[in-house]
Amino acid sequence: MSRHRLLFTKTGRAVYISHLDLMRTFQRAFARASLPLRHTEGFNPHPVMNFALPLSVGTASVCELMDFDLLAEPLPEDTEKRLNDALPEGVRVLKAYDSERRFSEIKWVCVSVRLEYDKGLPRDLTARLRALYEREEVLVPKRTKKGTADFNITPHIGALTILSQSDCALIFEARLSAQNPTLSPALLVQAIELYEPDLKPDFAAFTRLELLDGALETFR
Amino acid sequence: MHTRVALCFPDTYEIGMSNIGLRILYAIANDMPGVWCERVFAPWGDMEEEMRRDGIPLYALESGDPVFMFDIIAFSLGYEMAYTSVLNMLDLAGVPIRASDRTALPPLVVAGGTCAYNPEPMADFIDLFIIGEGEEVNSELITAYAEARDAGLTKEEFLRRAAKIPGIYVPGLYDVKYNEDGTIASIEPREGAPYPVVKRIAEDFERAPYPVKTIIPTTEVVHDRTALELFRGCVRGCRFCQAGFAYRPVRARSPELLAEQAREALAFSGYEELALLSLSTSDYRHLGPLCDALLDYCTPRKVSLSLPSLRADNFSVELMEKVQAVRKTGLTFAPEAGSQRLRDVINKNVTEEDLLNTCRIAFEGGWSAVKLYFMLGLPTETDEDVLAIAELAEKVLQVWKKHAKNKNRGVRITVSTSCFIPKPHTPFQWAAQVPRDEYRRRVELLRGAIKSRAITYNWHDPETSYIEAVLSRGDRRLGAVLERVQKNGGKLEAWEEYFSFDRWMEAFRACGLDPDFYALRERSEDEVFPWNVTSVGVSRAFFRREWEAALGGAVTPDCRVQCTGCGAAALLKGGRRCDE
Ligand code: SF4
């Protein structure tokens, strides 16, 4: 039995929908779209849905992946439209398709990071940021199952590209380790606060742009 | 020109979006041509702080427009402890709190809901109250408002006109005079305003609007589900229960219509839970066939069915068995009083035998958790009645020991008590609440009597119940207290983290009002009650007969056994009869 997969975006006001709420939202959207999900067996049946990399509240994405099982095979042709009619503003299905690739193959996630400075960009911002992220060791406290532990973020940062720059905002793209370990883009900002406090932005926003496998190819 | 209505719920989004009444009224208003109705909820404290700091006034969810721009600002009053939230929301909206400080039209500030049956504590703040069910009268009111606005009427002119709409109470048109002892000497309507204002009802409940297309929250709310309203009203006559009298007479929907509504609403929403709502679900005449029809639809779609408000009887357990085919969560019963004598006083006709029998079937069927709800401080309650609660819980435990299918899993019996609050428009409207210390003494008495470790005892603190008792039967003079509590930070007081007893007591002192006068005083037979301005359709003579029957421990049959002439039948026109 092949798995069905959705590629969808979560942008605008939808970034405030938490992961748990998003699962519920999808569950209802499938029901409203008359696409009955297959449920697990057992005492507490729940619909079979599996998200590739759960997104933090506040982070936008144009490359979310979710697997699901329908009661009926195969995938109806108008799945995208039916779901989009049932989904809230900000959550859009781009593509529904079958895939054999496993989410564990995802190695990198490309994220755009927008740093806002109400009083204008600090001097040498880009150079200093590059220098910071290229250090051998940048330890940031990271929450683990056993409390918090220091976590060296720099080995897990790939390429860094400046996307755009204005008077009060800098947007750069970073390639971050997607899993094992996961490097959340929020830690990039936390590192600034810890090591370059005068570069601390007034506001930071993140958007997931792309998922890559170990060969740096787009993962679908 | 559009008429914009801000439907305000004086509590959080999570609570407000769970309210079926709000969903119904929202849909009705938006179905009217030329009307745009939006939702407004109370922000949580942290959000409010940010809003006040940045000068963001309270706004409506759909458009984001500030509430002060709206034509009609309508509040739903379901719980007395939300009163200060109403004031706080007006304040956050930049709208003057007192009706007398709002001389122009718009905005028109209105309120309805169960608490409006005693509108008096909120009389200083609300321009007009909608008494009873809003299905019909809301549209009449919105239309009248739009006409008045287009004709350029002043607020006073409009209010005089609005007072002529049946079910509308305009507090500014009534003069209240007081006796030396603080009781009311007279309530006098001016300019032909009706006295009392008789509640409105959705007479033809089968045809009353039921929105199948509702807003589906993306965040989790308290009751996140499709809800069907089986019937309005209640055939029982529990003497403490305001809803039981306020929603008389009983009007039911046909099972065919309900099943259709369920199918449509579930298909539209994609909800995974369907709840059957009413004051006493077991009293729905077609409950069995309805559940069968609903299960046929729900089971293959993995939609679960929930049945709150079931009575403790065998039929209920059989039904639960069917409905909760997989998971057996706890059973909940509300005997309300521990002894048969006291249950007779309150006319709660559930017997110990019923209850134990039901528990036996449930334990045999594999249930292992039972919750029992009681009130302490009911009229005529003695220590024996209090101790009877412990005895009843102990008997339930014995039943489990004897009949449980699987004793290894153990049993959890939870006893909860709250402090009885006498409510207006009930037979207990004359009664005194017990003082807080006395409630605590009874709690200790009961606590000491519960010996088994399988029985857990939870009790509510009496402070909130005391304030609620004051507001429930309060008069207009309490407006000053509410205003002061809000000014001192009072809001969202249904939430423990926001409730401050001291803040209330300080406000009573500052305003020179004695809260005991409202909560702890037994009223004389012919006292003029503040809520005499409204009528729920049940006569005062009936309530008095019921109060005397209660004191004599005499039970009154329910409406199906025999009509006892409460008066509510007169609300039905066109030859309809109660509970048809
Ligand atoms: S009029 Fe009779 S049947 Fe109707 S609600 Fe009153 S007591 Fe019940």
Side-chain angles (χ1 to χ4, degrees):
Chain A
M1 180 175 55
S2 80
R3 274 243 151 155
H4 308 312
R5 185 163 291 173
L6 286 187
L7 171 69
F8 67 98
T9 67
K10 186 166 175 271
T11 56
R13 291 206 292 178
V15 303
Y16 300 111
I17 301 176
S18 72
H19 181 62
L20 207 69
D21 288 338
L22 186 71
M23 296 207 289
R24 211 177 355 249
T25 299
F26 263 109
Q27 184 179 348
R28 287 174 189 162
F30 275 102
R32 292 160 76 167
S34 306
L35 294 167
L37 290 166
R38 198 171 66 77
H39 281 62
T40 57
E41 309 289 327
F43 276 114
N44 188 8
H46 54 270
V48 178
M49 286 192 291
N50 184 24
F51 290 77
L53 302 167
L55 200 59
S56 316
V57 174
T59 301
S61 175
V62 295
C63 61
E64 288 307 284
L65 293 180
M66 184 201 102
D67 283 356
F68 59 100
D69 275 2
L70 291 183
L71 274 185
E73 305 267 347
L75 197 60
E77 260 181 42
D78 56 350
T79 300
E80 292 97 338
K81 182 183 179 322
R82 275 153 77 171
L83 282 174
N84 281 333
D85 286 347
L87 281 164
E89 167 200 330
V91 182
R92 288 291 111 202
V93 173
L94 301 178
K95 207 162 138 40
Y97 56 101
D98 291 335
S99 176
E100 304 289 344
R101 298 190 70 182
R102 302 170 63 87
F103 288 154
S104 56
E105 291 175 41
I106 301 172
K107 180 72 191 97
W108 299 99
V109 42
C110 298
V111 180
S112 89
V113 178
R114 179 188 168 89
L115 304 179
E116 291 182 15
Y117 297 88
D118 296 346
K119 296 188 195 77
L121 298 189
R123 291 181 73 185
D124 302 328
L125 175 63
T126 44
R128 287 174 65 191
L129 284 182
R130 274 190 196 285
L132 171 66
Y133 297 136
E134 276 162 18
R135 285 189 204 176
E136 206 128 286
E137 190 178 76
V138 172
L139 293 175
V140 174
K142 185 185 172 181
R143 249 185 290 147
T144 66
K145 283 183 193 110
K146 297 185 218 116
T148 55
D150 274 343
F151 171 59
N152 183 14
I153 62 170
T154 51
H156 309 295
I157 304 176
L160 204 89
T161 329
I162 304 300
L163 293 181
S164 80
Q165 192 169 338
S166 67
D167 288 350
C168 294
L170 172 77
I171 305 179
F172 66 85
E173 182 183 328
R175 178 156 56 78
L176 307 176
S177 174
Q179 41 194 354
N180 305 316
T182 303
L183 175 50
S184 150
L187 294 187
L188 296 181
V189 177
Q190 222 180 315
I192 301 177
E193 288 172 19
L194 286 172
Y195 296 92
E196 300 281 2
D198 57 315
L199 300 185
K200 179 179 185 272
D202 295 299
F203 184 73
F206 314 104
T207 304
R208 262 188 201 166
L209 301 173
E210 197 50 278
L211 303 174
L212 305 178
D213 59 19
L216 299 185
E217 298 291 338
T218 300
F219 179 89
R220 284 288 180 271
Chain B
M1 198 168 158
H2 265 64
T3 302
R4 297 188 67 179
V5 180
L7 194 54
C8 306
F9 194 88
D11 209 318
T12 60
Y13 178 91
E14 287 78 359
I15 305 280
M17 283 303 288
S18 306
N19 187 285
I20 182 172
L22 191 85
R23 291 177 178 226
I24 295 174
L25 300 177
Y26 178 80
I28 291 178
N30 278 320
D31 275 347
M32 292 175 70
V35 176
W36 185 17
C37 176
E38 301 182 42
R39 297 159 301 153
V40 185
F41 300 96
W44 197 247
D46 52 356
M47 174 77 168
E48 178 182 336
E49 224 171 89
E50 298 284 330
M51 289 169 73
R52 287 195 189 269
R53 204 182 51 217
D54 290 348
I56 300 170
L58 185 68
Y59 56 86
L61 280 194
E62 282 78 355
S63 65
D65 287 338
V67 167
F68 65 71
M69 282 179 49
F70 282 67
D71 291 286
I72 301 177
I73 303 173
F75 284 96
S76 156
L77 303 177
Y79 183 43
E80 287 82 0
M81 296 315 289
Y83 287 171
T84 51
S85 274
V86 173
L87 306 193
N88 196 51
M89 285 171 79
L90 285 173
D91 186 56
L92 192 56
V95 174
I97 286 176
R98 288 197 165 257
S100 55
D101 293 334
R102 299 186 302 261
T103 48
L105 202 64
L108 177 72
V109 178
V110 310
T114 317
C115 288
Y117 290 121
N118 178 19
E120 292 305 273
M122 291 293 279
D124 288 350
F125 314 109
I126 305 294
D127 296 322
L128 65 83
F129 290 89
I130 295 140
I131 308 301
E133 299 163 18
E135 269 100 345
E136 290 166 20
V137 60
N138 281 15
S139 333
E140 295 165 26
L141 177 68
I142 296 171
T143 307
Y145 167 84
E147 282 169 10
R149 181 199 53 199
D150 295 346
L153 258 53
T154 65
K155 184 175 169 187
E156 272 174 40
E157 286 166 340
F158 167 70
L159 287 176
R160 275 202 298 274
R161 259 199 209 181
K164 303 228 153 48
I165 302 173
I168 298 292
Y169 170 61
V170 178
L173 295 179
Y174 298 76
D175 294 321
V176 182
K177 295 206 176 69
Y178 299 91
N179 295 312
E180 293 257 308
D181 64 3
T183 56
I184 292 174
S186 68
I187 301 173
E188 274 167 35
R190 278 185 282 114
E191 323 226 19
Y195 182 73
V197 175
V198 180
K199 81 169 181 210
R200 292 284 293 272
I201 58 169
E203 270 181 65
D204 187 349
F205 196 53
E206 185 80 354
R207 277 183 196 85
Y210 172 79
V212 280
K213 299 189 173 177
T214 56
I215 293 174
I216 318 299
T218 40
T219 187
E220 192 171 14
V221 300
V222 178
H223 297 303
D224 212 3
R225 60 193 188 189
T226 290
L228 290 181
E229 222 184 334
L230 305 187
F231 59 91
R232 289 253 169 98
C234 183
V235 293
R236 314 264 157 192
C238 299
R239 290 171 179 139
F240 57 86
C241 177
Q242 190 187 37
F245 296 104
Y247 289 96
R248 280 188 180 203
V250 165
R251 290 144 290 151
R253 281 197 171 120
S254 68
E256 296 78 25
L257 177 66
L258 288 165
E260 190 187 311
Q261 289 177 341
R263 282 193 296 268
E264 280 182 42
L266 287 169
F268 177 81
S269 66
Y271 271 133
E272 48 291 303
E273 184 186 345
L274 174 67
L276 306 187
L277 301 189
S278 72
L279 289 170
S280 170
T281 305
S282 308
D283 286 328
Y284 183 62
R285 289 185 200 268
H286 319 283
L287 191 57
L290 174 67
C291 285
D292 288 340
L294 294 176
L295 284 171
D296 281 348
Y297 181 85
C298 293
T299 312
R301 289 170 181 80
K302 309 279 183 212
V303 173
S304 67
L305 194 59
S306 68
L307 298 163
S309 314
L310 282 181
R311 289 177 63 76
D313 59 23
N314 304 349
F315 177 69
S316 302
V317 180
E318 281 161 29
L319 207 61
M320 297 280 287
E321 291 265 9
K322 232 191 313 192
V323 166
Q324 298 196 332
V326 191
R327 265 201 295 179
K328 287 186 172 152
T329 46
L331 286 179
T332 301
F333 299 114
E336 312 290 2
S339 70
Q340 192 57 47
R341 186 200 74 80
L342 195 52
R343 282 195 297 273
D344 287 348
V345 167
I346 61 175
N347 209 39
K348 178 95 192 183
N349 51 1
V350 54
T351 63
E352 186 173 299
E353 201 189 328
D354 288 338
L355 183 78
L356 296 180
N357 229 329
T358 311
C359 289
R360 177 180 56 77
I361 301 169
F363 293 143
E364 284 169 352
W367 268 277
S368 57
V370 181
K371 282 188 193 151
L372 302 169
Y373 286 95
F374 298 91
M375 286 185 279
L376 288 179
L378 286 162
T380 78
E381 184 179 67
T382 62
D383 285 359
E384 265 167 47
D385 298 314
V386 176
L387 295 172
I389 295 176
E391 285 157 27
L392 189 58
E394 181 62 35
K395 282 179 194 158
V396 172
L397 181 60
Q398 293 310 322
V399 169
W400 177 81
K401 285 189 178 154
K402 220 160 139 196
H403 298 279
K405 217 169 63 177
N406 181 357
K407 285 201 191 85
N408 298 336
R409 282 171 62 200
V411 65
R412 271 207 338 273
I413 298 167
T414 312
V415 171
S416 298
T417 65
S418 63
C419 183
F420 166 64
I421 302 164
K423 293 277 181 175
H425 301 294
T426 68
F428 290 164
Q429 60 186 352
W430 285 273
Q433 189 180 44
V434 295
R436 299 186 300 287
D437 285 346
E438 175 56 22
Y439 171 79
R440 278 195 210 93
R441 189 189 67 81
R442 294 182 197 185
V443 165
E444 287 309 316
L445 184 68
L446 177 53
R447 203 154 74 112
I450 292 175
K451 297 281 192 303
S452 166
R453 280 212 262 129
I455 305 173
T456 314
Y457 176 33
N458 301 321
W459 61 94
H460 291 279
D461 290 332
E463 280 74 22
T464 312
S465 308
Y466 175 72
I467 301 299
E468 203 185 319
V470 172
L471 297 175
S472 292
R473 292 186 296 169
D475 56 40
R476 290 184 174 200
R477 292 171 298 184
L478 290 173
V481 175
L482 288 168
E483 193 175 15
R484 191 173 174 91
V485 170
Q486 187 271 330
K487 287 244 152 68
N488 290 335
K491 64 182 171 220
L492 295 172
E493 296 209 73
W495 298 83
E496 222 174 279
E497 51 266 68
Y498 283 105
F499 176 73
S500 159
F501 188 62
D502 294 342
R503 187 163 51 208
W504 281 97
M505 297 311 276
E506 187 278 334
F508 288 122
R509 273 194 303 279
C511 298
L513 289 171
D514 175 13
D516 286 356
F517 170 83
Y518 296 101
L520 305 187
R521 182 173 58 91
E522 183 172 331
R523 274 68 166 167
S524 70
E525 180 171 351
D526 43 13
E527 179 169 331
V528 180
F529 295 138
W531 56 96
N532 279 6
V533 293
T534 72
S535 163
V536 297
V538 178
S539 73
R540 182 163 172 144
F542 174 82
F543 284 139
R544 189 69 197 180
R545 281 204 302 277
E546 282 293 290
W547 173 229
E548 274 152 15
L551 295 179
V555 297
T556 297
D558 72 46
C559 296
R560 285 201 182 140
V561 175
Q562 187 200 337
C563 168
T564 42
C566 78
L571 296 168
L572 295 169
K573 294 174 194 82
R576 279 199 194 86
R577 294 171 47 193
C578 295
D579 189 28
E580 261 186 357

